[in-house]
């Protein structure tokens, strides 16, 4: 079952031309469209399904800096400021709250890792502190006599509402003149003398000299049709939503489960690190650059095979621009939840937070997290095609960092001074013999 989402309307007419075409209506694409349109550029936001329909509405909703990789922290810092700025400028609630994040653990090794991360926190001015066992027990009052050895409190981090954020940011882009086109798949690019000159959609061609591919799990497939290599692997995850329950805090992490309180009083619940990597032609193609990540996270990832081997973004299928494409055949990438994992989640929640478990399951869903070999996003020009850029491979961090990623992408597309150093996010790092260093989860 797909998660609940705020649906928005589409603009009736596809423009004949635009300064920029943004492909993908997730949090990154919507944010980029907003910041481009606010600059006075004409922007067309193209989405094969509906805005926010895939991973942007299927995540925990955390907007965090705690435990981030140092390469991502400049953009994560920016994103937190932008969440507040966007709420004010758009004039609609995105569900963003600086509720603070609470981590509790009974694993001494994990606590030592969190404590060591404070060196990174100091470099990037992140407000975080370690919790004693008594403080962790007070912050996360678990049942069943569970005793925590300690924890972390990231006081200034927060959460937003996945079912609201991308659609409302897209509506904010429309306030500045952007047009939004849902159920309108981008089939490919029109390229003239090495320069993009248009985007071919199922409803016609939009003439443009600038394209941002923010297509999430579909980005590699889209770019591959134009001989652009973007190493990407999609990891399948599961989450669920309960009914309204007592307030245990805005965002809580434990090794057993993670809880995010939604603005209606219900909870999004998941288990960190439990995911399935499905073998696909694309994952086999990129197995070598992903090997360091697979080795590092082997204990938390289940490897198997499913329908994604034969259909979806990782099949290496080719298509013609004048015929229906995989983007039209799968409007929404909506994998079924892993019901064994759903049962495990509820068992763990019942043991720690019985009042939350007693609220029952309202819905559960699956989603695909698009990862890069180093778990750092790609926000970059595509060197082989002038005027083409990509912002994808967010590796499970895209929602919270989405406004920052969208802002940087807009800076690059518009030719403005970048808001943060884009060097760590360049696409060419996978081909210029740079060492692949796997980032934090």
């Amino acid at each position: 079952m797909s998660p609940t989402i705020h649906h928005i309307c589409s603009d009736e007419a596809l423009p004949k031309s635009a300064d920029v075409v943004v492909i993908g209506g997730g949090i990154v694409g919507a944010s980029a469209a907003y910041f481009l349109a606010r600059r006075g550029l004409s922007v067309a936001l193209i989405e094969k399904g509906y805005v926010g329909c895939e991973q942007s509405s299927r995540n925990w909703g955390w907007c965090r800096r705690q435990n981030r990789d140092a390469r991502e922290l400049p953009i994560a810092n920016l994103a937190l400021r932008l969440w507040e700025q966007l709420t004010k400028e758009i004039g609609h609630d995105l569900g963003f709250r600086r509720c603070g994040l609470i981590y509790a653990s009974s694993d001494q090794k994990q606590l030592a890792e969190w404590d060591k991360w404070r060196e990174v926190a100091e470099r990037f001015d992140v407000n975080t502190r370690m919790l004693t066992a008594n403080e962790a027990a007070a912050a996360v009052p678990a049942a069943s006599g569970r005793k925590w050895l300690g924890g972390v409190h990231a006081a200034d981090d927060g959460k937003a509402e996945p079912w609201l954020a991308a659609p409302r940011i897209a509506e904010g882009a429309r306030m500045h003149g952007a047009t939004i086109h849902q159920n309108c798949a981008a089939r490919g690019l029109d390229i003239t003398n090495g320069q993009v000159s248009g985007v071919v959609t199922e409803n016609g061609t939009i003439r443009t000299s600038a394209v941002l591919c923010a297509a999430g799990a579909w980005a590699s497939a889209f770019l591959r049709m134009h001989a652009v290599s973007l190493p990407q692997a999609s990891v399948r995850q599961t989450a669920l939503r309960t009914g309204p329950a007592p307030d245990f805090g805005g965002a809580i992490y434990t090794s057993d489960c993670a809880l995010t309180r939604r603005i209606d009083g219900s909870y999004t619940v998941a288990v960190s690190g439990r995911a399935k990597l499905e073998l696909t032609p694309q994952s086999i193609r990129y197995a070598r650059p992903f090997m360091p990540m697979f080795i590092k996270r082997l204990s938390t990832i289940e490897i198997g095979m499913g329908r994604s081997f034969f259909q979806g973004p990782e099949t290496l299928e080719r298509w013609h621009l004048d015929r229906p494409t995989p983007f039209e055949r799968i409007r929404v990438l909506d994998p079924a939840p892993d019901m064994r994992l759903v049962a495990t989640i509820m068992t763990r929640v019942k043991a720690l937070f019985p009042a939350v478990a007693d609220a029952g399951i309202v819905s559960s869903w699956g989603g695909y997290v698009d990862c890069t070999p180093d778990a750092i996003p790609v926000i970059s020009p595509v060197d082989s095609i002038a005027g083409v850029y990509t912002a994808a491979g967010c590796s499970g961090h895209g929602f919270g960092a989405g406004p920052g990623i969208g802002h940087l992408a807009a800076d690059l597309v518009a030719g403005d001074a970048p808001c943060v150093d884009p060097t760590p996010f360049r696409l060419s790092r996978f081909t210029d013999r740079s060492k692949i260093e796997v980032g934090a989860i």
Side-chain angles (χ1 to χ4, degrees):
M1 180 185 295
S2 299
T4 303
I5 194 167
H6 172 68
H7 289 277
I8 63 175
C9 64
S10 296
D11 289 277
E12 291 185 8
L14 193 73
K16 294 182 178 180
S17 64
D19 293 328
V20 185
V21 176
V22 177
I23 300 171
I27 188 75
V28 171
S31 297
Y34 176 84
F35 291 114
L36 287 163
R38 203 179 65 170
R39 287 169 164 85
L41 298 171
S42 61
V43 179
L45 178 62
I46 306 298
E47 167 55 49
K48 65 181 175 58
Y50 50 91
V51 171
C53 63
E54 294 188 340
Q55 200 56 30
S56 290
S57 59
R58 297 163 189 266
N59 58 83
W60 299 5
W62 285 28
C63 304
R64 69 174 172 94
R65 296 169 297 171
Q66 178 67 39
N67 296 336
R68 285 260 189 248
D69 187 278
R71 290 166 289 182
E72 287 188 305
L73 272 170
I75 214 160
N77 277 338
L78 171 66
L80 272 183
R81 298 194 298 271
L82 291 176
W83 277 108
E84 292 176 323
Q85 176 183 317
L86 286 166
T87 300
K88 294 175 183 177
E89 291 180 354
I90 294 172
H92 291 287
D93 190 7
L94 306 178
F96 178 68
R97 307 286 189 272
R98 283 187 184 259
C99 60
L101 307 183
I102 298 290
Y103 293 66
S105 180
S106 52
D107 183 340
Q108 192 62 57
K109 180 180 177 181
Q110 189 171 56
L111 289 170
E113 290 173 352
W114 293 345
D115 189 41
K116 182 173 177 55
W117 187 84
R118 289 194 299 166
E119 299 171 7
V120 178
E122 291 176 3
R123 285 166 48 198
F124 293 94
D125 196 29
V126 178
N127 181 13
T128 182
R129 72 180 185 89
M130 296 297 294
L131 301 177
T132 66
N134 287 338
E135 289 173 327
V140 185
S144 304
R146 183 66 175 270
K147 295 185 182 300
W148 309 116
L149 294 179
V152 172
H153 182 209
D156 296 333
D157 288 357
K159 60 174 185 173
E161 290 287 322
W163 69 281
L164 278 177
R168 285 190 168 168
I169 292 172
E171 288 182 311
R174 181 153 47 198
M175 289 166 50
H176 290 281
T179 58
I180 300 171
H181 310 278
Q182 300 170 105
N183 288 305
C184 179
R187 291 177 171 176
L189 304 175
D190 194 0
I191 300 170
T192 306
N193 297 325
Q195 163 75 51
V196 67
S197 55
V199 174
V200 180
T201 81
E202 63 180 292
N203 296 326
T205 298
I206 306 173
R207 290 295 159 199
T208 187
S209 60
V211 174
L212 174 65
C213 178
W218 298 87
S220 184
F222 183 88
L223 292 171
R224 185 179 64 246
M225 283 294 292
H226 299 285
V228 176
S229 177
L230 170 59
Q232 198 174 40
S234 295
V235 177
R236 180 176 165 183
Q237 294 189 327
T238 292
L240 62 86
R241 178 188 178 189
T242 72
D247 188 355
F248 287 93
I252 296 172
Y253 169 90
T254 75
S255 58
D256 291 334
C257 60
L259 280 67
T260 311
R261 187 170 174 82
R262 302 163 71 116
I263 55 178
D264 67 354
S266 65
Y267 281 90
T268 296
V269 190
V271 173
S272 178
R274 288 288 297 274
K276 182 175 183 178
L277 174 67
E278 296 181 343
L279 291 177
T280 65
Q282 181 170 288
S283 67
I284 295 170
R285 178 191 185 192
Y286 290 125
R288 183 173 181 177
F290 273 96
M291 195 56 64
M293 177 184 287
F294 294 160
I295 293 172
K296 183 175 181 178
R297 299 181 181 171
L298 189 61
S299 62
T300 62
I301 295 178
E302 175 187 350
I303 299 177
M305 185 178 292
R307 287 185 296 177
S308 59
F309 192 94
F310 306 100
Q311 63 182 27
E314 299 198 18
T315 62
L316 303 187
E317 178 181 359
R318 300 189 68 82
W319 56 88
H320 297 279
L321 302 189
D322 60 349
R323 303 175 195 170
T325 68
F327 310 116
E328 289 136 283
R329 289 195 289 274
I330 303 179
R331 293 285 179 184
V332 178
L333 196 57
D334 185 23
D338 181 338
M339 296 312 296
R340 290 181 303 168
L341 184 53
V342 168
T344 297
I345 292 170
M346 288 305 289
T347 297
R348 294 182 177 189
V349 173
K350 183 72 174 179
L352 293 180
F353 308 99
V356 175
D358 290 345
I361 301 174
V362 173
S363 61
S364 60
W365 58 85
Y368 283 105
V369 175
D370 60 309
C371 299
T372 61
D374 54 8
I376 302 298
V378 173
I379 314 162
S380 171
V382 172
D383 294 336
S384 59
I385 311 173
V388 177
Y389 303 79
T390 189
C394 297
S395 306
H397 309 162
F399 181 77
I405 295 171
H407 196 299
L408 176 57
D411 291 342
L412 297 176
V413 172
D416 293 338
C419 52
V420 301
D421 180 9
T423 304
F425 313 113
R426 69 196 186 283
L427 176 59
S428 63
R429 70 185 188 267
F430 300 119
T431 56
D432 63 9
R433 298 188 177 182
S434 296
K435 182 180 178 181
I436 295 177
E437 298 181 5
V438 182
I441 294 176

